[in-house]
């Protein structure tokens, strides 16, 4: 209790200091010194994954993530002829080629000040979700109050805030868009299905097709939510015995992702054998694969039956590995660490097309509550998720995005680690009471390492090449600050703030990146 109180007092004091520092910086037009991500250059800088999967002949939509002063002119070399690029918006749309194949495309962007180019491999085949999903989900900020207007606002904000320029792409509706059989609320009540059995949205979603069309017009994608049970976790209509009709309805409305949440299915499942746990996902996974558009399957069943071992086989593109992160009350450390540690041991089971999902990024203002995490803790959170190749789905309030939250969410070099084409989840190199080191091998041969200080005092953390599996001279880059720290051989030590992280990339001397 004492500890809890002193933690609260420390947090309140830190918050006061932050406000003071912000006021000072605003007065002098500077950024607070603990903002780590440097401002993006005014010249174009292309971001986003370097590999992208799509199923043959399916609709294709991709907004090229790119920072820099607008207007920017886009072009692409070797784009399949069935796709077209809008040179002004950078949105690629059309239909995927009919045959499985790979296209090595070069994206280009130029503005009055300069230009940039970046490769992306478009893989036409059976596997989608070749890199973890990035976007926003409404759950923690809206729960049962989500509306069409809020979702539209979030999509518009994803573009206007610049998040889309870093690769954030999905705008996902969680529970409570359907009708609730037991509700007295005029917005939510009423028949849950029409005479033909088609699922009906509640009055807060007057036109699903228009909503997805709006989101797609921005070059973004959108997700919807259901349960294999008769009711969702919040007691709204689920897809039990309507799986096929609902999946087709979601696709016909234009959704690009389905979060499928176990919820009331627990009462129907025969038992808890792996076959019982798999059954509803085999059913939905199979239906989604047969649709005429790509719908990413985000499985949510809280890790039962070691879902990471079989989630991919049943058609999942990601699976929640734990319960709700927002409900985990930390003790010595905030709750996200506990969830992160549990997810980190599952590194063997993630890879292109199927990712471990430790739940959403809860920073910024969540609902109407500003996060209680310190700045350092927030950088740790984002670093841990990126090293774990986790989906990067922000669930804070989009209309209250502040500069610091964007500084955490939008660092191109951090995101590159999460989205790396090799698709390896980072492995644990060291885990003690005081220190945590995660290491992620990257496609270009370089290695990302996060040094996490779990204590309440600054601490020097060091690891030698033997422990990290490195050899020779390594150029070391501070990923958050986007600057080189010099060349090192045998060992690298770094001073890490309390509850903070230093995230570096080791690049072997002579390697050309
Ligand atoms: C939970 C799920 C949350 C959210 C909620 C909606 O089971 O873990 O992420 O979707 O249901 O009711």
């Amino acid at each position: 209790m004492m500890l809890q109180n002193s933690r609260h007092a420390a947090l309140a004091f830190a918050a006061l200091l932050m406000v003071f520092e912000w006021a000072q910086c605003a007065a002098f037009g500077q950024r607070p010194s603990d903002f780590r991500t440097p401002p993006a250059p005014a010249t174009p800088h292309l971001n986003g994954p370097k590999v992208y999967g799509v199923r043959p002949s399916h609709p294709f939509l991709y907004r090229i993530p790119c920072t820099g002063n607008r207007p920017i002119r886009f072009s692409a070399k070797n784009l399949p002829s069935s796709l077209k690029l809008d040179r002004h918006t950078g949105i690629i749309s059309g239909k995927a080629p009919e045959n499985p194949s790979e296209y090595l495309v070069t994206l280009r962007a130029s503005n009055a000040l300069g230009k940039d180019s970046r490769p992306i491999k478009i893989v036409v085949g059976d596997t989608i979700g070749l890199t973890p999903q990035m976007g926003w989900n409404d759950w923690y900020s809206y729960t049962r109050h989500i509306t069409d207007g809020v979702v539209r606002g979030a999509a518009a904000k994803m573009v206007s805030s610049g998040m889309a320029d870093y690769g954030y792409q999905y705008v996902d509706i969680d529970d409570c868009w359907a009708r609730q059989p037991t509700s007295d609320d005029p917005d939510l009540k009423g028949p849950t299905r029409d005479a033909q059995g088609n699922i009906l949205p509640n009055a807060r979603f007057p036109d699903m097709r228009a909503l997805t069309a709006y989101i797609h017009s921005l070059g973004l994608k959108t997700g919807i939510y259901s349960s294999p049970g008769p009711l969702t976790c919040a007691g709204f209509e689920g897809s039990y015995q309507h799986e096929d009709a609902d999946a087709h309805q979601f696709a016909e409305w234009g959704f690009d992702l389905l979060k499928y949440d176990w919820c009331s299915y627990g009462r129907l499942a025969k038992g808890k054998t792996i076959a019982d746990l798999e059954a509803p996902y085999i059913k939905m996974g199979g239906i989604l694969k047969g649709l005429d558009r790509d719908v990413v399957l985000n499985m949510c069943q809280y890790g039962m039956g070691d879902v990471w071992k079989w989630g991919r086989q049943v058609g999942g593109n990601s699976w929640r590995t734990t319960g709700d992160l927002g409900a985990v009350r930390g003790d010595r450390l905030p709750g996200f660490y506990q969830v992160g540690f549990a997810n980190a041991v599952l590194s063997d089971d993630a890879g292109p097309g199927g990712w471990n999902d430790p739940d959403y990024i809860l920073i910024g203002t969540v609902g109407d509550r500003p996060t209680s995490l310190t700045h350092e803790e927030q950088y740790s959170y984002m670093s841990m998720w990126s090293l774990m190749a986790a989906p990067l789905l922000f669930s804070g309030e989009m209309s209250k995005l502040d500069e610091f939250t964007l500084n955490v969410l939008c660092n191109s070099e951090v995101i590159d680690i999460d989205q790396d084409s090799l698709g390896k989840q980072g492995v644990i190199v060291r885990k003690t009471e005081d220190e945590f080191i995660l290491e992620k091998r990257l496609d270009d041969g370089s290695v990302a390492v996060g040094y996490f200080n779990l204590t309440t005092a600054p601490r020097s953390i060091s690891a030698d090449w033997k422990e990290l599996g490195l050899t020779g001279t390594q150029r070391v880059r501070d990923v958050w600050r986007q600057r080189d720290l010099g060349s090192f051989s045998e060992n690298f030590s770094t001073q890490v703030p309390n509850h903070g992280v230093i995230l570096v990339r080791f690049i072997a001397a002579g390697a050309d990146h």
Side-chain angles (χ1 to χ4, degrees), residues 364-437:
T365 301
V366 182
D368 51 12
R369 281 205 189 161
T371 178
S372 60
L373 299 177
T374 66
H375 283 189
E376 292 304 333
E377 288 164 351
Q378 295 180 56
Y379 286 121
S380 296
Y381 196 160
M382 184 74 183
S383 303
M384 214 185 278
W385 262 231
S386 297
L387 285 163
M388 295 192 301
L392 298 178
L393 293 163
F394 173 60
S395 192
E397 171 54 84
M398 291 292 281
S399 69
K400 293 184 186 141
L401 268 175
D402 58 84
E403 225 196 303
F404 181 76
T405 306
L406 287 168
N407 196 272
V408 177
L409 292 174
C410 297
N411 183 307
S412 57
E413 294 194 21
V414 175
I415 290 171
D416 279 350
I417 293 173
D418 179 79
Q419 295 287 302
D420 186 69
S421 313
L422 197 59
K424 288 265 180 233
Q425 176 173 330
V427 297
I428 301 172
V429 169
R430 185 186 303 165
K431 167 94 173 49
T432 67
E433 275 280 289
D434 302 333
E435 297 176 0
F436 184 56
I437 302 182

Side-chain angles (χ1 to χ4, degrees), residues 137 139-140 143 174-176 225 232-235 259 261-263 300-302 320 322-325 359-360:
N137 172 291
W139 178 247
Y140 280 104
T143 58
D174 208 274
D175 203 346
C176 309
Y225 168 103
T232 66
C233 296
K259 174 173 171 182
D261 195 351
W262 180 263
C263 306
C300 181
Q301 47 83 289
Y302 341 113
R320 277 271 298 280
T322 65
D324 292 9
L325 186 147
D359 209 0
Y360 303 127

Side-chain angles (χ1 to χ4, degrees), residues 83-156:
L83 302 181
K84 64 171 198 312
L85 165 66
D86 181 318
R87 288 162 53 89
H88 303 283
T89 60
I91 298 173
I92 303 174
S93 59
K95 234 179 193 218
E98 284 169 22
N99 297 313
S101 43
E102 291 188 355
Y103 294 81
L104 298 173
V105 177
T106 306
L107 302 176
R108 294 202 174 108
S110 64
N111 68 8
L113 302 168
K115 58 185 183 187
D116 192 22
S117 70
R118 187 171 174 100
I120 184 168
K121 183 162 75 176
I122 298 178
V123 183
V124 184
D126 198 36
T127 312
I128 57 172
L130 294 181
T131 61
Q133 308 129 40
M134 289 177 64
W136 175 79
N137 172 291
D138 80 78
W139 178 247
Y140 280 104
S141 289
Y142 283 91
T143 58
R144 55 186 295 114
H145 306 289
I146 188 65
T147 66
D148 169 288
V150 166
V151 177
R152 283 172 188 256

